[in-house]
Amino acid sequence: MKKHPSFKVGRPLAIAVAVASSLGAASAAHADIVPKQLSGPPSEFATMRAVDPVEATIHSRSALIPVEMVAGKSGANWRGALPVENGRLRFALLGPEDAAWNVVLTGPQGQKLRGADTAKRGKASHFGIEGAQVPARMYEFDDLANGAWSLDLSGSAKSAGRSFLLIEGDAGTELASYATHGRQIVGETLGLTAQLAAINESGKAITGVGAGRIERATLAVTGPDGRMETFVMYDDGKHDDGVAGDGLYGARFTPVRAGDYVAQVTIEGIDKAGNRVLRSAEHLLPFVDRSITLAGERAWASMAKGGGETRLSIDIPVTAAKNAGHYRSYAEVWGRDAVGNDVPVAWVSGMVAPVNGKLGLGFDERWVAKAGAQGPFELRNLRIENPDHFVTVASAKRMALSLPPLRTRAKAAEIVVDELMTMGPRPVGNTVAKATGKRLLLVHGYCSGGVWPAGQFSTASTFLDANQNRTHDQFAQRIKSFGASWNSFGVVAHSQGGAAALHLYTYYWSGLDNATGSRLIQSVGTPYKGTNLAGILATLGNWFGVGCGTNSNLSYNGAASWLAGIPNASRAKVNYYTTSFKTTNWWTNDYCQFATDLVLSDPEDGTTEKVNGQLPGAVNRGHAT
């Protein structure tokens, strides 16, 4: 296991992690996966609605450039240009560990920093997340003249082939890039954008032509089969790029098969101070097949089997592919008041599988009584999503909804929102062997070889799915299965494990629901809002086969789409810590992955930036170095 920068293995955590009390009082945990039937108040509509892609904009101050070392009689060589914007140059060479590069820098006036001068400025590092890493050699230079410097690389013949150069630019000028929509369906054309972003003299954020001038913008798309297409990006008002001449560039591509696509946006230009800039942004975009479609314009609700007399099943007509599996579904229920005005009732959601031409969402009619609503009713903002990537595969702005006569006689003020209303009926009976006892589960993250030693905690067991790449949904179900041996459990998790534990508590019944105490789920360094490393690692993985493979849930866009279905009640069960390594200087820093500092904004811990480790609605337990 690699050391987390906030603590050392073998001694107690530097941050106070309290053990959750897992005293079970309800039924034993089931080995089978039982989805919850989620609902919540209209006040959460804004939180639960599909994310605007602009909210998942990648802001990049760096550029990832491919390096093709060409073999010759005396070895392998490459030459490229590096802009120096603020008298400082930091870059990393990513490639074979035994590449033994010789680095020569030549300045705009012909001044040279030769191999002997640069070698002592290089330091071995790694770039990546846990087991998904590539070797890196990091270089930093100060007091350089601004302008275009050239970089000459040379090495032995075995250095020939593809490597990468990761260069950091000035943080005052960023490339801002986002997808034009979230319909990542095979055959659906998607646009990517690029514009410069900066801060003006008044401290106000500016974008487009006010932040500088893009001279050249390209979009390189690598499909799941490894084939790459390159597109010129335009600022002509015809490529999803806003108004012609506004500094926003765009290009489009159309995926032809399902899988992960890596779209790299690269720009060259001039910042508002006249310095040359080079930037790139790497988008990890999963595309899925349209495996389900809506089969009608009206949904209907009927009495549900089990769960009590207030329970309904809202059935949505669909046509689904054979063995389509389950989907994350969401809709808002609306009604009318006595004079015909719109009345929001509740949202309804859950992981559901199509059965006999319908998706059934569990719903409690007390939400209708609490809202004081009457017919006609309708569903709004209905979306049915792939459960692994949270890509909408079927949707409707509005759909008529037929409800049976209400059986609830309680007045609105008398209705207290309870677990049955928000999560549906708990599973009961029918278990072969009832689980017993309580436990604290220690859960690792993406592509990790382990987590904290169980001996540091009381009544703890280590969940281990070593060096694997799982989506949040797959990860959550594995935690559930592991924890099924105990009646109740709490979770202390690192990195993606925190998001997976939250996903489990939100969507599936487990021993988490039998636990008591104020710290049900605790997480350290979880990228709840994503990490910029996800797209860059996907780009590197196309050439190096990095680690465990791509994971779109960890990207900015993927994390935002996932969070758009996590209600406040679930978030409130999470106690989270953000972490970072000490920012002295990278020459003396013992942190082994300081190359990631080129693409992450301080404070950060090598994977997760403090700003993107936040989980709105949860309990922030603080930041530790």
Side-chain angles (χ1 to χ4, degrees), residues 127-151:
F127 183 94
I129 304 173
E130 293 286 350
Q133 298 183 28
V134 295
R137 190 155 190 85
M138 182 90 170
Y139 296 86
E140 182 175 46
F141 302 91
D142 296 314
D143 301 321
L144 298 183
N146 285 355
W149 284 68
S150 65
L151 170 64

Side-chain angles (χ1 to χ4, degrees), residues 22 51 64 76 85 120 124 144 171 182 190 198 349 433 473 535 549 561 580 585:
S22 303
V51 66
L64 183 68
E85 305 163 39
K120 61 184 179 183
L144 298 183
L190 180 69
S349 179
D473 196 57
S561 298
S580 64
N585 68 74

